[in-house]
């Protein structure tokens, strides 16, 4: 099978060749796929003083257990790189009103890591894989060090989004590292308020809604069609669960992946790329709204990672959902599908090109549709002679339990009007 072929998958439109992005925007492209939200302070934006931005970036840096912060060399970072990004629901005063009961009820004092992304940048040839882990994934949580120096007890089965309450960002990283067997030296968190500000900084993101979305939990009542979201609408779109697909967290994840893919294309568009003021604003906003690990506070490290990803095409930026099963003890939770996950991480270790074989996304949160070409008359195809199948060792067809999309694909929210 060709690496470009996906059984049952159709694209929503024919894509022209994407032009090579300006080097100024390379890190900002990775911001758009869930990475440069962490790293944007390290880019030299058209002569602006990025070093002053990086100084602000270090103020609340988080120490990760067992990680060193040795000064790096200039040049591409060597080997593969793993970064973790947590999106949290912190009740920041200026945004708390958007969360309703979440910030006024009994749980108002807590902070949950509701979005969990593991970003893998491969060694040459460089590829980027963004793996989303469901907030309701039930899994073992290791012993974690808390801010007061005490250590929590290891637990055999708790939801992933509870790790922040046990040990903050470091505990979330440690948990995902234990689950995946991956070393994760870099991490950061961004609050939902930070997502609002980053979306506003680029003038909003246009998303596609195949069907209307109605979700009383987030206040959405939108018609089908394209919609430019920013401000509170960006937060509503990213948080909606009941309004897309089957109403579960897996549908929400695929909806969030549509947002990241479209943000990637927006960041490298002329609308943002050709405006130094917008670029600098985006960098400043990102620095003000993220909390990095201490390992990310050296601007040289950020430049190294930027150099490593600067030529990665959108076709090689893949968003995946970590494979799961329904939890036998709770239909509202999921548990790891270790066999499918093992195949994924083996493919990443071998630096193979990933090919999705699943026809639909988990949770049905988005759909991919190819329109008919105007004026094209269907013709009867000649029978195809069977040929011997040749296995390409550079390509990995992922198990059907794993769904996702590339940054080059256009998907639309599979909304519902319940």
């Amino acid at each position: 099978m060709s690496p470009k072929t996906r059984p049952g998958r159709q694209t929503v439109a024919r894509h022209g060749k994407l032009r090579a992005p300006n080097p100024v925007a390379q890190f900002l492209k990775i911001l758009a796929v869930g990475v440069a939200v962490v790293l944007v302070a390290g880019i030299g934006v058209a002569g602006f003083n990025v070093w002053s931005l990086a100084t602000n970036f270090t103020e609340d840096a988080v120490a990760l257990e067992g990680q060193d912060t040795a000064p790096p060399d200039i040049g591409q970072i060597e080997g593969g790189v793993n970064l973790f990004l947590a999106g949290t629901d912190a009740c920041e005063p200026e945004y708390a009103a958007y969360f309703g009961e979440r910030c006024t009820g009994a749980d108002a004092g807590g902070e949950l890591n509701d979005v969990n992304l593991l970003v893998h940048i491969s060694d040459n040839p460089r590829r980027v894989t963004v793996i989303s882990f469901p907030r309701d994934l039930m899994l073992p949580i290791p012993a974690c060090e808390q801010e007061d120096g005490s250590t929590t007890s290891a637990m055999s089965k708790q939801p992933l989004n509870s790790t922040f309450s046990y040990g903050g960002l470091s505990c979330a990283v440690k948990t995902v590292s234990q689950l995946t067997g991956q070393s994760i030296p870099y991490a950061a968190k961004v609050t939902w308020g930070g997502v609002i500000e980053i979306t506003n900084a680029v003038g909003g993101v246009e998303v596609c809604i195949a069907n209307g979305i109605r979700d009383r939990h987030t206040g959405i009542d939108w018609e089908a069609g394209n919609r430019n979201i920013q401000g509170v609408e960006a937060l509503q779109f990213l948080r909606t669960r009941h309004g897309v697909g089957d109403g579960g967290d897996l549908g929400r994840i695929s909806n969030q992946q549509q947002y990241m893919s479209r943000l990637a294309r927006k960041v490298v568009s002329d609308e943002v790329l050709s405006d130094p003021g917008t670029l600098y604003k985006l960098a400043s906003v990102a620095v003000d709204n993220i909390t990095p690990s201490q390992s990310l506070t050296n601007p040289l490290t950020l430049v190294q990672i930027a150099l490593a990803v600067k030529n990665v095409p959108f076709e090689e930026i893949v968003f995946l959902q970590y494979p799961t099963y329904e939890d036998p003890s709770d239909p509202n939770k999921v548990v790891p599908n270790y066999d499918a996950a093992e195949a994924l991480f083996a493919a990443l270790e071998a630096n193979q090109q990933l090919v999705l074989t699943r026809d639909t996304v988990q949770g049905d949160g988005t759909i991919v549709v190819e329109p008919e070409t105007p004026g094209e008359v269907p013709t009867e195809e000649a029978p195809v002679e069977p040929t011997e199948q040749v296995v390409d060792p550079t390509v990995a067809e992922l198990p059907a339990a794993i769904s996702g999309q590339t940054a080059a694909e256009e998907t639309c929210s599979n909304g519902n009007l319940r």
Side-chain angles (χ1 to χ4, degrees), residues 26 30 86 95 100 104 108 119 144 146 159 177 196 202 233 244 251 366 370 381 407:
Q26 297 311 324
I30 302 306
Y95 308 106
T104 58
V119 183
C144 293
Q146 297 184 302
S177 179
I196 289 176
V202 298
E233 285 195 354
V244 294
T366 55
E370 173 151 4
E381 296 183 0

Side-chain angles (χ1 to χ4, degrees), residues 353-364:
Q353 183 181 21
L354 304 181
V355 176
L356 292 164
T357 61
R358 187 184 179 106
D359 292 343
T360 59
V361 297
Q362 292 171 305
D364 297 323

Side-chain angles (χ1 to χ4, degrees), residues 94-358:
E94 59 269 47
Y95 308 106
Y98 299 152
F99 285 83
E101 293 183 3
R102 165 65 188 90
C103 292
T104 58
D107 297 329
E111 184 175 5
L112 302 174
N113 45 306
D114 279 349
V115 174
N116 300 275
L117 303 175
L118 176 62
V119 183
H120 175 77
I121 302 170
S122 72
D123 198 359
N124 291 319
R126 298 290 189 179
R127 299 183 173 102
V128 178
T129 306
V130 184
I131 305 170
S132 298
F133 297 82
R135 53 167 285 175
D136 295 326
L137 177 63
M138 303 298 290
L139 76 173
I141 296 178
C144 293
E145 184 176 334
Q146 297 184 302
E147 288 186 3
D148 61 5
S150 62
T151 301
T152 61
S153 299
M155 291 162 277
S156 61
K157 188 179 181 183
Q158 290 292 322
L160 176 58
N161 74 333
S162 68
T163 53
F164 246 70
S165 63
Y166 300 126
L169 179 63
S170 182
C171 190
V173 170
K174 194 173 182 180
T175 301
V176 172
S177 179
Q178 176 179 275
L179 172 68
T180 62
Q182 300 291 302
S183 172
I184 307 174
Y186 307 109
K189 80 158 188 174
V190 57
T191 63
W192 282 124
V195 171
I196 289 176
E197 297 304 328
I198 290 168
T199 307
N200 289 349
V202 298
V205 173
E206 185 175 275
V207 296
C208 170
I209 303 171
N211 308 298
I213 297 179
R214 183 176 298 148
D215 182 0
R216 63 180 179 82
H217 299 275
T218 55
I220 290 180
D221 190 359
W222 299 344
E223 296 179 352
N226 291 341
R227 187 182 188 95
N228 183 280
I229 58 170
Q230 52 187 307
V232 67
E233 285 195 354
L235 180 62
Q236 290 172 312
F237 182 80
L238 291 168
R239 291 189 66 212
T240 187
R241 173 168 65 88
H242 300 279
V244 294
D246 62 9
D249 193 48
L250 300 183
R252 171 162 54 189
I253 286 176
S254 56
N255 202 49
Q256 292 168 350
Q257 290 173 339
Q258 183 208 166
Y259 165 89
M260 289 188 288
S261 176
R262 290 175 177 270
L263 176 58
R265 294 195 291 274
K266 176 65 175 286
V267 166
V268 299
S269 69
D270 289 336
E271 186 177 346
V272 175
L273 180 60
S274 300
D275 188 341
T278 299
L279 287 175
Y280 185 73
K281 179 182 179 182
L282 178 57
S284 301
V285 166
V287 170
D288 289 340
N289 287 278
I290 62 177
T291 303
S293 61
Q294 291 178 355
S295 52
L296 272 181
T297 57
N298 190 322
L300 297 181
T301 300
L302 304 177
V303 170
Q304 281 190 304
I305 299 175
L307 291 173
V309 301
K310 69 177 183 178
N311 293 320
V312 177
F314 286 135
E315 290 81 1
E316 294 291 356
I317 299 174
V318 183
F319 301 98
L320 303 175
Q321 292 189 29
Y322 181 84
T324 60
Y325 295 117
E326 181 179 296
D327 187 343
S329 60
D330 186 346
N332 295 315
K333 306 290 185 182
V334 293
V335 293
N337 180 336
Y338 290 107
D339 290 339
E342 183 178 357
L344 167 61
F345 288 105
L348 294 180
E349 179 67 23
N351 196 10
Q352 295 174 299
Q353 183 181 21
L354 304 181
V355 176
L356 292 164
T357 61
R358 187 184 179 106

